[in-house]
Amino acid sequence: MIWKKPITAESITARYTSKHIGQLLGIEFTEVGDDYLVATMPVDERTHQPYGILHGGASVVLAETLGSVASDFCLDDTKTAVGLEVNANHIRSVKSGLVKGICKAIHIGGKTHVWDIKIYTEDNKLVCIARLTTMVIAKP
């Protein structure tokens, strides 16, 4: 297990998506595994681009939320992680429903973490592949 703090999907949703962009976009954490996190996001007027499909930026918000939260739970209470770089390849458009992001570690080091995030439709078609690098810093 990679987590250094107690972690549940409910506690993550309550802490990391209320009063933040996650709440505005409807992000909800749904599953915690020994080495992965899962969250969903609705595809609706909040997450659409002008052509009525999922905005690539909304996918990046889901990816960065997943990776940032994962980094935080890999650290003790004296440290935190901040986003250093994120990239995303958008594979398929989505008009409605839910998308599901699955976040897994590629590298968990003392100074950086690298996360692989894949986003899928409700019928498991790949929508987006993202990679997030976070930098570990002392808590301010």
Side-chain angles (χ1 to χ4, degrees):
M1 181 177 307
I2 61 175
W3 316 121
K4 295 196 177 198
K5 302 174 195 171
I7 184 172
T8 66
E10 297 79 18
S11 68
I12 298 171
T13 295
R15 179 175 178 190
Y16 291 93
T17 62
S18 63
K19 299 182 183 176
H20 302 286
I21 194 168
Q23 181 181 35
L24 294 172
L25 298 185
I27 294 172
E28 183 178 329
F29 284 82
T30 59
E31 187 178 346
V32 175
D34 287 344
D35 64 349
Y36 68 92
L37 292 180
V38 178
T40 61
M41 182 177 67
V43 180
D44 59 21
E45 66 280 348
R46 296 171 290 178
T47 56
H48 279 165
Q49 47 102 302
Y51 299 112
I53 59 174
L54 179 62
H55 193 294
S59 293
V60 173
V61 169
L62 176 59
E64 188 156 358
T65 299
L66 274 159
S68 294
V69 168
S71 275
D72 190 46
F73 277 90
C74 289
L75 299 168
D76 65 37
D77 288 330
T78 66
K79 297 175 184 169
T80 191
V82 294
L84 191 59
E85 191 269 340
V86 63
N87 68 62
N89 294 99
H90 306 291
I91 309 296
R92 164 178 280 106
S93 64
V94 182
K95 291 183 178 183
S96 62
L98 281 177
V99 289
K100 172 177 71 173
I102 302 171
C103 176
K104 294 184 178 185
I106 295 171
H107 167 74
I108 301 175
K111 295 182 181 183
T112 61
H113 297 169
V114 181
W115 299 96
D116 175 70
I117 304 102
K118 291 189 173 97
I119 300 173
Y120 298 92
T121 63
E122 291 176 283
D123 55 351
N124 290 319
K125 292 181 179 171
L126 187 62
V127 173
C128 178
I129 299 170
R131 179 174 292 164
L132 173 70
T133 302
T134 59
M135 182 172 60
V136 177
I137 61 170
K139 270 196 177 168

